[in-house]
Amino acid sequence: MDHPNSYEDCSVEDDAAQLAENGSRIVEIEANLRALQAHQQHLLAENVKLRSNIAAKQVHNAPMRTLIPELCNLIFAFAIEGWISARSFIKVNSSGVKDLIPYLPRIETLILRVHQSALSILFPRGSVTQMSNLKCLCIQHHGYILDEYDLGQTAAPNLRVLRLSDPTPFFNMLSSSLANLKILHLERIEYWEYPRKVPALLSSCTALEEILIAFPRNLYLASPETVTLPSVSRLSLDWRFACNPIPIFSCIRTPQLRHLSLTSNNFLNVFSHEGISSIQDLVQSAPDLAALTLVGFNLALCDFSPIFYHAPALEELSLLNCHGVGRLLSDLCPPDWARPSTWPCPSLGRLRLAGVHDNDLRPLIDFVEGRMETSGVRIEKSAHFLKELVLDSRIQDFATQGRLLILRGLSIIAPSVKVIGPLDNLDDLVSKRGHVQSALPTVVFPLSNAATTTSSTAPPLFNQAAFAANLCPSAMALLSDRQRDDLHKSMLDYLFVNNHIEAFTALKQSAGIDYTPDPNARYTGLLEKKWTSVIRLQKKIMELENRNAQLQEELSLSPAKRAAAQTDWLPRAPAAHVLTGHRAPLTRVAFHPQYSILASASEDATVKIWDWETGEFERTLKGHTKPVNDLDFDHKGHLLVTCSSDLFIKIWDSQNEWKNTKTFPGHEHAVSSVRFMPGDQLIISASRDRTIRLFDVASTHQIRTLSGHSEWVRCAIPSSDGKFVASCSKDQTVRLWDPLTGEMKSELRGHENDVLVVAFAPIAAYTAIRELAGIPNTDRTKRHGLFLASGARDKTIKIWDTQTGQMIRNLAGHDNWVRALAFHPSGKYLLSSSDDKTIRVWELATGRCVKTVEAHSHFVATLAWGRQPAGGSSGDKKVNGTDSAEVSDPEKVVNVVATGSVDQTIKIWLP
């Protein structure tokens, strides 16, 4: 064959070259083909998006019957995502909704925000809707579904994600589709229609891995059975409304739980002991719990510390916008002697905080220091040290002392613990000398030894030396140029005269002074003269201080002339006077508001009058035939009211030889308590006949009866403004009343035995109580009766918020019944007496017992704090541990405490 292009006419080399060329062209064509295919796919995707956008923009313009088929065809023809949103079904008619029904079996993600009537059309009663491709279902409906069987069932075996606002009406509808559900979100809504069905719904979801529940207002479950969720690893519980989530906690058990989040939007919400125990049971059922988040809790009102002793695997703790963080961290701070394996949550390695307050900083630093790795503490297999601290706070969020504290603390912590957040770099703060100078004037910044013992290889958090230099102005800035020059030259003269040549030369070069020794210069010998002058002045100061102390001691000899420096005085042993004379146990003591007079009541049916300043007995008032249980002076001290087990109340006139001028009948059993109402026009009494009664002083007529207690009413006291009355009873309750209407405002429950005494907190104590509760002290309300204290036979004292009815703190420490309470005039302390024979002093800001006084040899039945104006000036302040508005002039306050005991003695405690 003779053909010019025939392969037979070409040599082998030519064929090989042609083959290589063809191979190269094939590779190039294939690359171009792939690029064209990729470009084709990109254009197709763009077309899909454009057509979907066009269809979506026509939602509000096109008729629903026309739009739905078009939109569904676009979705399924091009297989974009397989989702459909029925947002526009809220106001459509039934015929428009029916057009969606044919497409339900093909939908993968369905989002419905519709009226309940649309749901009845999509899922008609008695039917079974096949949705085999459905993986995600979100329903937010409005309107009530009165019967859960109004909706038909759905068959969605591949359902993985379910988000509902109210799950309870859909239990029947989804009952056959929950077996493979992985994620369940019950979003925030105010009310559930059938809340008792929630446990049954949860128990049907056996494959759940993640649960989020936002509780409604009407959460109530009647003794739900325990629901075990074997696969749940993440659980979030959120109650933003005033509800009781205890039933949920008590019924859920999650053995595989790894992440637990608890959110409360009401920081005044107080968990009872039962609530804490329920959360503890939930945590205890999850031995592998690794992360716990608490959001919005008031940790000062609730003792959450027991929970952490049941979380050995906890690695991360987040406390976000919680109040009272310091209290929890103090409870979790390990003691110095404890081994790491014995710490609560010994595996904790990461702590995250947001919304930290100034009073939380010290417990925070102590906690981190106690948890961080230091030399001398051996790591154990079951324990880990804190490695990471996340602080979502800024330095500007803290007050002056708080800034110093956090800066010092972080300088110690940073070498061992990684600090993350706005406080992790403070170089900018150091450079802004003017801003820091104005906020922190002339404060010496202490450098802790702990900072020097840490690893030198770790980068410092900030330049501490530079910060101290910028923070503290130089002492030289206080001297003028001439004074500075004289000081330098006098120092050089002293060094030269004493032959310290090296120091002389170094100082001269450093100061840059042209100095020539001159025996006649004014600075010659100046340093020695100043030094001897300082010593002479110091000696003079010491002499004057000693003389001042002698004069102060002479001035303090009269109790009526006590200085204002003793505003924080607390009683201490021994007692100044021991008054004897009663022949039976004491029941009550009360101070006269103007004079140094003390009245005492006893079971010997008498009232005795004493001069507490001298300890002398004055007279005995007889008139009652049975034990006198209580007494009280009016605000001027003109009248004394007493009550007795003989069913009578009597008034005695102190200006008329203490004569019995009025007698009030009315009670049907022993009268246990009596008080003058503010204004002294009325008296209020409590009795064993279960009633509280108001009497008019002038006419002795009964004005009103307050009924509600089911047992003996032990005590009833008015607030300082007379707008409220607090009572306590053998029925273990404290109740708040409106004396004008007789209406019961609130009932406070929490004691486990008879409540014996109540006392309203004075306004001076509000700041400390708010700090105790972890409430920001931004509320400057001066309304009377916001807080009160109660003591009971359960050996405890409880502080209450009368506005919310919540218990702020339980004070435990007495070993027997608590019989009497009195607030300190400064508002910083609460005093209590008990059948354990002691007086205890409680610091209100922390809730701790700071002092215990062994007072009597028998039960201490009564306690009163006497506060009176010096010199007998007219006083309109209450005494005897009741409520005064504010201490306007502390120099006119006399510190004296009186106690009465079953040992038949009265003791007077003076500074």
Side-chain angles (χ1 to χ4, degrees):
M1 178 181 293
D2 187 9
H3 192 279
N5 294 327
S6 175
Y7 291 116
E8 287 79 357
D9 297 336
C10 299
S11 63
V12 175
E13 292 78 7
D14 293 337
D15 291 343
Q18 186 65 34
L19 180 62
E21 181 181 355
N22 291 344
S24 301
R25 292 185 62 187
I26 291 173
V27 172
E28 181 180 356
I29 292 172
E30 289 177 347
N32 292 336
L33 180 60
R34 286 194 296 270
L36 290 174
Q37 290 175 344
H39 187 57
Q40 179 188 24
Q41 294 295 331
H42 176 71
L43 292 178
L44 289 175
E46 288 292 331
N47 289 343
V48 168
K49 293 180 181 179
L50 290 173
R51 292 182 185 182
S52 299
N53 289 339
I54 292 172
K57 291 176 182 178
Q58 294 174 345
V59 167
H60 298 289
N61 300 323
M64 185 59 61
R65 179 178 291 275
T66 304
L67 175 63
I68 290 301
E70 179 182 355
L71 184 60
C72 289
N73 285 332
L74 282 173
I75 290 172
F76 298 124
F78 295 97
I80 302 174
E81 296 177 276
W83 63 267
I84 182 168
S85 176
R87 183 188 298 273
S88 301
F89 284 177
I90 294 177
K91 296 182 180 179
V92 301
N93 55 29
S94 301
S95 59
V97 176
K98 291 180 180 178
D99 291 331
L100 179 63
I101 295 177
Y103 301 96
L104 290 178
R106 303 167 61 186
I107 295 175
E108 294 182 3
T109 300
L110 179 59
I111 303 173
L112 296 174
R113 296 181 179 91
V114 296
H115 191 269
Q116 58 91 9
S117 58
L119 293 174
S120 301
I121 296 172
L122 287 173
F123 310 104
R125 184 186 184 102
S127 67
V128 178
T129 303
Q130 297 295 330
M131 303 182 72
S132 56
N133 292 328
L134 186 64
K135 296 181 180 178
C136 178
L137 175 62
C138 304
I139 301 178
Q140 294 181 1
H141 75 285
H142 63 282
Y144 290 101
I145 302 176
L146 299 180
D147 187 352
E148 61 174 325
Y149 294 99
D150 285 345
L151 301 179
Q153 292 187 333
T154 59
N158 295 317
L159 184 63
R160 296 294 184 270
V161 179
L162 178 61
R163 299 181 63 180
L164 303 171
S165 54
D166 180 2
T168 55
F170 302 100
F171 178 61
N172 178 66
M173 169 185 164
L174 300 171
S175 59
S176 61
S177 305
L178 302 176
N180 298 316
L181 189 67
K182 299 296 184 183
I183 300 175
L184 174 63
H185 286 192
L186 306 183
E187 298 175 344
R188 181 180 179 182
I189 192 172
E190 194 162 358
Y191 294 99
W192 285 348
E193 294 181 35
Y194 311 105
R196 288 191 173 91
K197 294 185 178 294
V198 173
L201 174 66
L202 295 177
S203 61
S204 301
C205 307
T206 55
L208 273 178
E209 297 177 357
E210 177 180 335
I211 301 178
L212 184 150
I213 302 178
F215 299 124
R217 290 187 185 276
N218 63 332
L219 179 66
Y220 55 91
L221 304 174
S223 301
E225 296 182 359
T226 300
V227 177
T228 301
L229 303 172
S231 303
V232 170
S233 61
R234 185 179 295 271
L235 176 62
S236 299
L237 304 177
D238 180 346
W239 51 99
R240 298 175 182 267
F241 300 108
C243 66
N244 179 20
I246 294 177
I248 290 293
F249 292 140
S250 61
C251 75
I252 293 180
R253 294 295 178 267
T254 51
Q256 299 299 324
L257 186 64
R258 296 278 298 169
H259 302 271
L260 175 61
S261 175
L262 306 177
T263 302
S264 174
N265 198 41
N266 181 9
F267 70 88
L268 291 177
N269 185 38
V270 180
F271 275 85
S272 64
H273 178 72
E274 180 186 3
I276 299 295
S277 298
S278 299
I279 301 178
Q280 181 176 322
D281 292 340
L282 174 61
V283 172
Q284 196 168 1
S285 71
D288 297 326
L289 182 66
L292 174 61
T293 301
L294 300 178
V295 183
F297 279 90
N298 192 333
L299 302 175
L301 299 181
C302 314
D303 185 10
F304 276 80
S305 57
I307 297 174
F308 295 90
Y309 287 90
H310 298 276
L314 189 67
E315 299 174 359
E316 178 177 347
L317 174 62
S318 300
L319 304 175
L320 310 181
N321 299 319
C322 293
H323 295 272
V325 171
R327 179 194 174 186
L328 177 61
L329 295 181
S330 297
D331 294 339
L332 299 182
C333 187
D336 296 337
W337 50 265
R339 296 183 304 167
S341 60
T342 64
W343 295 348
C345 46
S347 300
L348 185 65
R350 187 173 191 265
L351 176 64
R352 180 186 175 194
L353 301 174
V356 180
H357 301 287
D358 287 270
N359 53 359
D360 298 327
L361 293 179
R362 169 53 63 191
L364 167 61
I365 293 172
D366 292 342
F367 174 79
V368 178
E369 282 189 286
R371 288 274 186 163
M372 70 183 187
E373 183 176 359
T374 58
S375 59
V377 178
R378 183 173 56 87
I379 300 180
E380 303 180 27
K381 294 182 179 179
S382 58
H384 302 280
F385 291 102
L386 193 68
K387 296 299 182 184
E388 189 172 283
L389 173 64
V390 181
L391 280 175
D392 294 338
S393 301
R394 303 172 303 166
I395 192 67
Q396 293 83 359
D397 295 339
F398 304 110
T400 301
Q401 298 300 324
R403 297 181 188 184
L404 285 174
L405 189 60
I406 194 66
L407 292 175
R408 177 180 177 273
L410 293 183
S411 67
I412 299 172
I413 293 168
S416 294
V417 179
K418 182 180 180 182
V419 181
I420 301 175
L423 291 178
D424 59 355
N425 189 351
L426 301 173
D427 293 335
D428 294 338
L429 177 67
V430 175
S431 63
K432 296 178 182 178
R433 177 176 179 177
H435 173 71
V436 178
Q437 191 76 25
S438 62
L440 307 170
T442 64
V443 179
V444 178
F445 189 66
L447 303 181
S448 173
N449 293 332
T452 61
T453 60
T454 53
S455 174
S456 60
T457 59
L461 182 64
F462 68 105
N463 190 333
Q464 195 174 44
F467 178 79
N470 284 273
L471 184 63
C472 306
S474 173
M476 287 298 181
L478 303 177
L479 303 177
S480 65
D481 292 341
R482 180 178 177 179
Q483 290 173 330
R484 185 184 303 109
D485 185 67
D486 286 348
L487 177 60
H488 284 153
K489 289 182 178 180
S490 63
M491 294 170 63
L492 290 170
D493 177 74
Y494 174 80
L495 295 174
F496 180 79
V497 170
N498 290 277
N499 201 28
H500 299 300
I501 304 303
E502 293 182 1
F504 170 83
T505 305
L507 178 59
K508 183 178 180 180
Q509 293 177 352
S510 175
I513 298 176
D514 185 11
Y515 169 77
T516 302
D518 184 359
N520 298 321
R522 66 176 181 274
Y523 48 78
T524 301
L526 180 62
L527 195 63
E528 293 90 336
K529 293 177 183 178
K530 294 294 184 183
W531 181 257
T532 55
S533 297
V534 168
I535 294 176
R536 185 171 62 254
L537 291 174
Q538 286 180 339
K539 182 178 179 181
K540 186 65 176 178
I541 290 172
M542 292 175 63
E543 293 176 354
L544 292 174
E545 287 178 344
N546 292 333
R547 178 59 180 162
N548 182 54
Q550 294 175 1
L551 294 175
Q552 292 288 348
E553 185 177 358
E554 294 176 5
L555 184 64
S556 63
L557 290 178
S558 173
K561 301 291 184 180
R562 300 294 182 183
Q566 294 180 332
T567 54
D568 289 341
W569 173 81
L570 295 172
R572 64 177 182 272
H577 303 294
V578 178
L579 311 182
T580 59
H582 281 291
R583 294 177 295 173
L586 274 295
T587 57
R588 171 80 170 138
V589 292
F591 285 95
H592 193 282
Q594 295 186 27
Y595 308 118
S596 58
I597 293 175
L598 177 74
S600 60
S602 169
E603 292 182 6
D604 62 9
T606 67
V607 175
K608 293 186 182 293
I609 307 299
W610 314 79
D611 185 328
W612 60 261
E613 191 170 5
T614 62
E616 294 180 357
F617 167 74
E618 292 194 356
R619 67 176 67 225
T620 299
L621 308 183
K622 296 182 179 181
H624 288 291
T625 59
K626 289 187 177 181
V628 184
N629 298 319
D630 199 3
L631 49 78
D632 187 38
F633 283 102
D634 67 356
H635 83 283
K636 293 182 179 179
H638 294 169
L639 301 177
L640 174 69
V641 62
T642 61
C643 65
S644 170
S645 296
D646 61 10
L647 314 187
F648 291 108
I649 300 169
K650 294 181 180 291
I651 285 185
W652 313 78
D653 190 346
S654 65
Q655 296 184 315
N656 188 16
E657 297 296 324
W658 296 96
K659 290 183 179 180
N660 177 206
T661 57
K662 290 183 172 64
T663 299
F664 300 78
H667 281 290
E668 300 172 0
H669 211 307
V671 187
S672 51
S673 171
V674 67
R675 289 290 188 280
F676 277 101
M677 294 290 290
D680 301 333
Q681 302 300 314
L682 303 174
I683 59 175
I684 187 166
S685 61
S687 170
R688 197 169 181 175
D689 62 10
R690 307 177 186 177
T691 66
I692 302 165
R693 301 179 190 242
L694 281 167
F695 296 90
D696 180 71
V697 174
S699 64
T700 71
H701 291 162
Q702 180 177 318
I703 304 299
R704 187 168 292 105
T705 300
L706 311 181
S707 300
H709 283 291
S710 60
E711 285 289 348
W712 181 357
V713 184
R714 289 284 191 170
C715 180
I717 61 168
S719 61
S720 298
D721 57 0
K723 294 182 179 180
F724 299 98
V725 169
S727 64
C728 60
S729 169
K730 188 179 179 181
D731 63 11
Q732 304 180 14
T733 67
V734 176
R735 302 185 186 223
L736 206 65
W737 309 83
D738 184 341
L740 297 179
T741 63
E743 177 187 1
M744 186 180 70
K745 292 295 186 182
S746 60
E747 178 181 313
L748 312 179
R749 289 186 175 272
H751 284 292
E752 299 175 355
N753 208 327
D754 301 9
V755 188
L756 301 180
V757 61
V758 289
F760 278 107
I763 292 177
Y766 286 6
T767 300
I769 294 176
R770 288 192 178 105
E771 182 178 351
L772 175 69
I775 303 173
N777 197 29
T778 57
D779 185 5
R780 302 299 180 183
T781 303
K782 299 297 183 182
R783 185 173 73 79
H784 301 264
L786 287 182
F787 305 102
L788 64 82
S790 62
R793 288 186 176 182
D794 61 7
K795 310 176 186 179
T796 67
I797 302 164
K798 298 184 186 296
I799 309 295
W800 305 89
D801 185 331
T802 60
Q803 286 183 306
T804 63
Q806 304 290 349
M807 184 185 69
I808 294 175
R809 180 63 69 88
N810 182 62
L811 308 180
H814 279 295
D815 298 328
N816 212 326
W817 300 351
V818 179
R819 301 287 290 270
L821 299 172
F823 281 92
H824 194 280
S826 67
K828 297 179 181 179
Y829 305 101
L830 174 66
L831 278 72
S832 61
S833 67
S834 166
D835 283 358
D836 62 8
K837 311 175 187 179
T838 67
I839 303 171
R840 292 182 185 260
V841 181
W842 308 85
E843 187 178 38
L844 288 175
T846 62
R848 297 177 180 175
C849 179
V850 295
K851 189 172 186 179
T852 301
V853 179
E854 298 293 336
H856 287 268
S857 61
H858 214 304
F859 303 157
V860 186
T862 179
L863 165 76
W865 188 295
R867 295 165 49 216
Q868 67 177 32
S873 59
S874 63
D876 53 4
K877 300 177 176 66
K878 287 283 182 180
V879 295
N880 307 321
T882 58
D883 312 290
S884 67
E886 292 183 66
V887 182
S888 58
D889 190 355
E891 293 189 2
K892 294 184 178 181
V893 173
V894 176
N895 292 318
V896 57
V897 171
T899 56
S901 170
V902 176
D903 63 11
Q904 304 178 16
T905 65
I906 303 165
K907 290 191 177 183
I908 307 298
W909 310 82
L910 291 171

